[in-house]
Every structure is written in C-alpha cells, then in structure tokens.
C-alpha cells in the first residue's frame, strides 16, 4: 500500500488522522544550543571494543569527546513549536563519542547518549543515536549573578549526567581563553540505525550505518580551557570501561545547525 | 554481516561490547500489574478515522477502551532486574484502544499510549505501540489508610494522564461488585510497527501490522463498576476527536502475562 | 540553649554535624536570570480578595504581574555551588503578583508561585513566598537556530506552568522594541511569612509580613511588547478567580540581584 | 489580629480567599502504605554526633533504622483527595533514623529524609522532619508476574534513593519468614521543628523538639529477613559519616496510621 493510500499521517508513531501527534516530525530539523566539549584519550584497546566493523579505529586511536549540550530544536513541519509549546522544543543531552574511521574518513561513533525528552529520544533512534533518558545538569554562567559571572578567563562549568539512580558522567571545563572555530574538533557522526524484528530477535529489521546530512552549521562565542572527565561504574552502562582517560582540553560554544535527514553508508546484511 | 560477526551486543540500541546496556532486552518479557479498564462507545465515524486498512471497523462500531495501568516488568535476559534496579522494571501507562477487526477477527488498535520510562517507550515502538512520555497518576486504594480503605463496593479510583503541560485523559471507576474473568473484554492488539527510513521520509523502513505472542495471562481480584472518562483538547494530540463518549462500565483487576515476541500479519508495501 | 551550644548546624533543616546539608543556606543569596514579565489588570474586587490587611489595595487597583523566570542562584556560604553541583543552583519559576500598598507604599503580594526545586521551595517559605512545585516551560530564543533566532522585533516567547496534572498559567510576549530600565514596573514584595504551630492549627507559630533586603539589582537587554495571559481553572488553585484579565504589555530582560535577608514589617498577633 | 479577622485561609502557605490551595492541610492526616525497615548498628560515636541535647544516646547506642516507604495520605479536610487528584495524595520516602532518648524514653531522631512531592516536603518541615526532594525507587513484588512473584520466603526487594544526581542510600531485604507485630522495632520520633528568622539567621524563629500524636496504628502482612544497607559518599549529605554499618535484619509490612498533630516537648531558647 503506497503512503498516499494509508490514511493515517505522521513521520513516526503515533500515526493519526490529522498527523499532528507524531512524536518526531520529518526532517529538516533545526538546532540551536550551547555545547561543552571535553576531549579525551583512552587506551586504544578499550576504545576499539566499541567500534564495530566496517568502522575502523581512527587516526588518533583512543580519542573521544564528551558533549554536554542544551538544545532548542524545531522542525520544518512545526517551525513555531518553541513558541507554541516550549516543552516540545527543548532538551539537554550528554553524548559520548569515540573516534573511528570509515573507508579512510575519520569520524565518531556514539556508544552512549542521554537526553531528557521523548521527541529527541525517538529522533535519536531514527538517526542512529542510541539515546536513553537521563537527567543532565550543566552550570549556567550568569553575567548578572554577582557571584557567578559570565563567560571569561577563569570561569568554570560542570556537566553531570544521571540515569536510573546512578551518576554516570561528570565533566568540567575551566575557561582559559577564547578560541577560533578552526580549533574545534571536526565532528562527523557514524550512526548506527537499528530496529528489531519482532519475529526474530537475532535478525534486526533495520541495521545500517548512516551519516546525517548537515547544513547551516554555525558556531559562536567559543572558549577553550582545561577539562576534566569522569566515567562512573554502573550496573547497566559500560562507560567505565572507557576509563581511565587522559584529557586533551575542552571547549564551550554556541552552535546552530540544520539536519536534512541522512544517508545510509552501510547495511549489515 | 551475520549477527555473529557483529561484535556489539544488544536487542536494541545502545549496542555495546558486553550487551548490558540495550534499553530493551529481547523477549520474553514478563508483566505483572494493576489495570483499570474503562469501556466507552464513541461515534462510529470518529472511531473509523483512527482505523487504517486493512483493519476494518469492529463488530461493535465505535467501541473503545482506556487502560490506566501500573506494571512491574522484567525480561528473560534480566529476570532479577526488579531487584537489582527497581527503576528499570517499573512504569505506569495510559492506553487508548479502538475496536477494529482484521480478516474478521476483532481486536483493538492503539492510537495513543503514554508511559513514564524509556525502556517501555522503546519497547513500545518495537512492538507497535505508539508510546510517548507522560505523567500518569492513579488512585491507590489502601486497606490500612483510615480514610481510603481497600477494594470494596463503593471504592472509587481515578486515573489522570498529562504530557507536555496538558491534561490529556482522565478516567474513573466506582466499584459496584466483584466480577469474574469472563466479564472482562477480550483484548487482542493489532499493533503498528513503524520505523522511518532516514533517506526518504515518505517511505518508512518498517511499516507493518503485528500481533503479540502472549501467554501465561492471569487475572485476579476483578471489580466492575460505573466508569467515567474525559478526553481533553490538546494542541498536539487528537484524542478530543474521540469525544463525546458514552460509558459502558469499567473494571479494575490485577494481571500478569508473558509476551514472547510478535508476528507480522500485514506489511504496508 | 544558645545556638553555640546546639551542636548541629544549618540555616534550615536538615541540621547536621558539619552543616553541609541544610536545604537552604543563610543569606546573602545571589541571583542571575532571565525574566518575562506580563502586566495585567483584573477587576478590583477580585484582586482585593487576595490582599489581606494591613495591606491595602494599591494605587492601580486590580493591577498584577506574572513572572516566568529561570534563575541561577548561589549563596554566600556556597558561592561555588553552580559549578560543584549545577542542580543545586538552578530553578525555574512562575510568580503571580497583585499590587497592594502598605502604609501608603505600593508593592506586590504574591498569592501564588511555582518552582521546580526543593532549595528554592523552602527558601520561599523562609522569605514568605508561597511556593509549590510545578513544571515551568519557557521559550528559549536561539540566535543560531535557523528557524528561531535571537531577541529581535517580532520574536515571540511563551511560558507555561503546570502542576499536579493541571495547566495553571500560560503567558506570552511578542517583542516590539527594546526598552529602558525605567520602563520596568518597580517591584517591591510584601511577603507573608507563615509557619504552623504543631499544637494548634488555628494559631500559627510564625505569621508576619516581611520585605526582602535587596541590593545589587541590575537589569540588562530589556525588550517590551504585546503580552497575553491565561489563568486556567483548577481543582486546587484559585487563580482562575483572577480572570478575566486585560493586558498592559510585558517585558523580557536579564536580571541580577542579591537578597541579604529580610525585615519584618508587621506581625499578625 | 486574630485568625478570624485575617481573611485568607489555609494551614500553610499559600493562604487564599477560599482556602483550597494550602500546600498542606491541617491535621488529622491519614496514612496507608508499604514500609521496608532496615535495622542497623553503627559506631556509637558516629551516631552521637547526630543527636543534639537534650536528646541523649539511646539504650542501644549506635542503633538506627532506614525506612523505604510508599504512602497514600489524605487529610481530614480533604479526605477524598486520593480520588480527586491522586498526585496530591501519594509519595515515596526514604527515612534515616538514629536511636536516642528523651528523659529516659527511647525514640529516634531523623537526620535525613527524602520524599518526592511538595505537600509531604512542607508537611515534614511542619512536623519536624528535615525533608528534601529525591527520587525513591523500590522493588514492587508482583504475584502475577511470572518471574517476580509475590511475598514469600526468598523474595527480595531493594530500595534506592537518589538526589541531585547522587545515589545516596541503597538497602535491600531478603524475606526469610513472616513475623508478628511485636517483632517490629517500636518507633517514636523526636522531631526537630525549625524555621528561620528572616532578620537574624543565627536566631531561628521556631526551634523546638516535638512528638507526633499518633493513633490508629495498624500493621499487617509482616515479613522479616536478611537486610543490607549502603550509605554513599555525597558532596552535600553527610550520611556516609554513619557508615560502616552492621545489619540487624529488616522487615517489610503494610501500615496505616493517623497523625493528629503534635506536642512540643522542648524549646531551644
């Protein structure tokens, strides 16, 4: 049955008569936010365990990045959603990335990512981000707060990620100077789209590597500095297997971008 | 690449070296909980809009049921999870069902369902339940609370479902008598498995109807009574399009079951 | 027993050996945040019901203001808390104010205020703000989000406050121009400190009017525009009794201040 | 001004014209719930630091109890609240108790207690419980869940308490046999009512010891067994100072009671 003949509408479930309820709208998706990036290096062997073929270890073996971010995000279908219902357009996230490469092109795989809202959780699954729910807290600098102050040399921010009663990740950055866009690590995601078959758990219905089609990337107000990062032991998550880490600095900046969908670069089957 | 050759493990994302982190474990899934069922009848034309072919209107056109439930759920892979981390094994939900039939066999389609945890949200998408996050509150009767009391003739319970700052559903039941299992409406779900293609929003990667493979269904401690139900206007959800409703009573009972996976009964394409 | 002889420490409960755990630190308290102010006028008689003697109706009878705000707040005792644990230093709030006057000096009484964290909830009770928990959502403008954009003529923001499954307040502002600090309504709070006696519910242990000792007030980046405001019916809150309202515009601005404690201006007994 | 002349109504803030909004109703308060009790012994010196005079160390120095509980609670003023809005009548809590004695009569002081709703948070402050917000998770046994099962020899339950991104307390119980009410440790609370002065942080407006007036206590369905308990290090809470602990067993049972208010037994000043 062609989509035209299927009377319910929506990019994802729920599919409904008017198509207003889909938890995720179709791309393009528009993002604006604040990002703390913490660059680390772990043991190559530890990193490699998280990199499945055909991805290979990257040019800087063991390199990884953690992002703590707060996003405002709307879609082409509902560009006014940040006004209509702010809750449907905001989320925080903590992303773990491990450098890898695909056919010689370096990028990052995302073994873990936590967010705090459903639309971004499901959108993550659609894109290939393995999102789970967590609570993400991040220092907000405040120019007018007499004891905190704004972005400046010496400013300190921290990110904390907790899920199912466990502190999972904690990272911080001490601002030492402003930086230029060219200093930011270029990030290209190799994303794992995966959706189970309901008849046979061993044969996923969808299992493929994808890249996002990104445009209109802008960064502003970039600071760099000394970073710190801790992965905590967990009964559920395997992130402590990435420790110990050695830090290679970090960044804090504003960022905007558009994701126009994605492209499948490898199918597992 | 065969699953054996793919080194990361998990039934869903996140796929990890040890396979502990997958937000959903593979079936079988085991459930135990308390369910309030509210049986309603809406206009046939309104109901029909939510029933996509090849499903057809059921033998009792316009019939629907709302469930408010609190579940404890674990998997075969982690049967001890309710003890190890209770948060990973509990959730509340509010389910909207519309009667339909498939090749002459009556069942229910689920246009809306809200839950309050990530593992059940994603498990819903795998099964074909269009889950979103919400907050679900339900009266807990309490034998020893001097002003509330336990299950008895005259006891009253209410369920409330709220999401993104909107009250969406409110339903209540006044217990009039105990009932037998045979009085409960038989429920068979026709589930819409749907997962977008990342390259073309108009062509989903997965779009099929499935039924769950259910076993070990047990019900206990069944009460029936007078029901009430309200669907509220929302800027996002189309549930108010199911109103007005006429009530046909309701039930409250304990329930246990096992879901062993599912079977695809129709593919849209 | 003098405080020196009482071995446990803390400004509020919990009182502990080291004094680290008190849910609120002693003043001074430092604030920085973003505030949307919505100025309204309701019927004088309706407003008056919320103004207890010795407070009197203000010079602009029926005038009120709603604030939606997001704050970063730390104390003199733990000035680094926004870094050490960001969760302990951030909250959102929705404040309802009704103009009144005390001995001829105009100010505002706060019949309702919702926040989303415990330290600010209890600090509210200490100051005389009748805080309850709610979920407060507010549009975040985003310069770099291609579809949202930053502060500018035509920008629109909305605030939504929900508690116990009920939407309570919704307000919005359409930016029409930048404004100067002198255009902001001067706000002086007349605060109701109240704490029950445990032996006799009819005789509160503390019942007094207080004003806060505020210093270092700074405002920046002020916008004004067309405002809208809705108070919703609730089974618990009496805010709908303030409707209908007529709007007198609104503001959005950054703000910083210090509260050094308070002064009692009237004791009810 | 006598209460009759003060036109706003409520047992606590918010005080309003109709008196519907007070976050806490006046006593009597009615409770029904499920309680896991974990009995421990810590070093006497460690325990003593949490016991302020005139309270003294109890007859079993170093003894303490942790409760994980889920309550349904309503008041005389709104006995139907569990039906009208279930959210306003339910909460979970984790309570830490240290044995002490007052004028020779043994009881318990509560250095820490976490809850997950505002009405119980403020009611705690009124009674003298030093409540903070946390997330409390507890295993729910489920007779009909094929892998979990109901209360029985060998059943295991766990409680976890997390606040501000830190796991604080974890406790568990392995059921070994049913028990009689007489085996439960008698619990009498010595409660610290404390409310700051707004003018002088060093001189609280209220600082007194109180006991609750409890009646209609009923317990049922009591199990006892082997207990385990962990207090975690925290940047905020001093609970780890109570470790290491030695366990003396535990209990799980239903409980109902009425609190009719309280009585002040000591004033600090």
């Amino acid at each position: 049955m062609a989509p035209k003949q299927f009377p319910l509408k929506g990019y994802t479930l729920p599919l409904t008569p008017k198509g207003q309820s889909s938890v995720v709208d179709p791309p393009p998706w528009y993002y604006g936010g604040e990002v703390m990036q913490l660059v680390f290096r772990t043991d190559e062997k530890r990193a490699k365990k998280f990199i499945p073929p055909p991805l290979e270890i990257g040019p800087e073996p063991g390199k990884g990045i953690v992002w703590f971010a707060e996003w405002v995000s709307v879609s082409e279908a509902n560009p006014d959603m940040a006004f209509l219902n702010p809750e449907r357009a905001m989320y925080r996230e903590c992303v773990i990335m491990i450098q890898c490469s695909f056919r010689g092109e370096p990028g990052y795989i995302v073994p873990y990512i936590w967010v705090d809202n459903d639309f971004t959780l499901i959108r993550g699954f659609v894109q290939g981000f393995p999102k789970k729910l967590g609570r993400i807290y991040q220092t907000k600098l405040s120019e007018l707060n007499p004891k905190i102050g704004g972005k400046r040399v010496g400013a300190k921010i921290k990110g904390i990620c907790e899920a199912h009663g466990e502190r999972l990740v904690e990272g911080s950055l001490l601002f030492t100077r402003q930086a230029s866009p060219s200093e930011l690590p270029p990030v290209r995601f190799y994303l794992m789209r995966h959706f189970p078959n309901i008849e046979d758990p061993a044969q996923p219905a969808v299992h493929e590597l994808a890249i996002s089609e990104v445009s209109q990337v802008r960064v502003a107000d970039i600071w760099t500095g000394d970073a710190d990062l801790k992965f905590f032991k967990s009964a559920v998550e395997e992130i402590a297997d990435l420790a110990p880490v050695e830090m290679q600095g970090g960044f804090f900046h504003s960022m905007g971008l558009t994701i126009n969908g994605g492209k499948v670069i490898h199918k597992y089957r």
Side-chain angles (χ1 to χ4, degrees), chain A:
Chain A
M1 180 172 296
K4 279 178 194 165
Q5 293 163 301
F6 184 76
L8 300 179
K9 296 168 199 156
Y11 177 64
T12 66
L13 300 177
L15 305 172
T16 55
K18 295 175 182 162
Q20 295 172 9
S21 301
S22 174
V23 70
V24 183
D25 289 328
W29 304 309
Y30 301 94
Y31 301 77
E34 308 290 313
V35 182
M36 174 169 69
Q37 302 200 24
L38 306 169
V39 184
F40 66 90
R41 200 87 178 236
T42 186
D43 177 71
E44 177 177 347
K45 278 183 200 159
R46 291 174 172 275
K48 211 173 172 182
K49 285 186 182 160
F50 286 89
I51 301 172
L55 299 172
E56 300 175 291
I57 197 87
E60 299 158 286
K63 184 174 180 175
I65 306 177
V66 167
W67 280 17
F68 281 91
E70 182 165 9
W71 295 107
V72 188
S73 175
V74 295
S75 72
E76 187 72 30
N78 285 295
D80 224 21
M81 188 54 88
F83 173 71
L84 294 174
N85 190 336
E87 188 271 347
R88 293 285 85 192
M90 295 194 304
Y91 65 100
R92 297 190 187 117
E93 73 182 359
C94 173
V95 193
I96 316 292
M97 313 173 197
I98 308 281
Q99 202 200 54
C100 59
S101 79
F102 177 75
R103 295 183 190 159
E105 189 161 1
Y108 289 85
I109 190 162
V110 176
Y112 287 105
I113 174 169
W114 291 269
V115 293
D116 63 1
N117 211 334
D118 55 1
F119 71 87
T120 181
L121 182 78
I122 297 296
R123 192 163 69 187
F125 270 66
V126 170
Q127 293 179 272
F129 286 104
K131 291 184 178 179
K132 286 183 160 183
L133 288 181
R135 276 168 289 270
I136 297 106
Y137 310 111
Q138 186 167 351
T139 306
K140 210 175 280 293
L141 293 173
S142 169
E143 188 71 41
L144 298 186
N145 184 308
K147 287 285 169 185
I148 296 177
K151 295 170 197 165
R152 67 193 182 282
V153 173
K156 291 180 300 178
I157 58 173
K158 181 178 284 186
I160 291 175
C161 176
E162 175 267 335
H164 36 77
E166 298 182 314
R167 181 170 297 199
L168 298 171
V169 187
E170 186 180 324
S172 63
L173 183 67
L174 169 66
F175 291 24
T176 55
R177 63 173 175 84
Q178 284 193 274
S180 67
S182 64
E183 296 179 66
L184 290 175
V187 170
R188 177 191 184 79
F189 289 117
Y190 291 119
L191 300 168
M192 185 71 68
R193 278 178 37 93
H194 181 279
F195 191 71
N197 188 317
I198 193 61
E199 297 192 341
D200 179 359
Q203 298 289 344
V206 176
H207 192 189
E208 58 200 23
L209 285 174
I211 52 172
S212 293
E213 300 202 333
V214 181
S215 63
Q216 294 178 286
V217 178
R218 285 190 294 166
V219 290
D221 207 5
I222 310 170
W223 289 81
T224 187
D226 302 329
D228 196 17
L229 182 63
K230 283 180 205 147
F231 295 127
F232 293 86
K233 279 206 193 307
S234 157
V236 178
E237 318 300 356
E238 301 164 27
I239 36 165
D241 291 350
L242 286 169
V245 295
E246 191 177 295
M247 297 313 296
Q248 300 190 333
F251 299 89
F252 185 74
H253 57 90
S254 297
M255 189 173 187
L257 70 152
T258 300
I259 295 182
N260 303 289
K263 212 174 135 179
V264 176
I265 56 171
H266 177 79
K267 282 186 180 282
Y268 288 98
R269 272 190 311 157

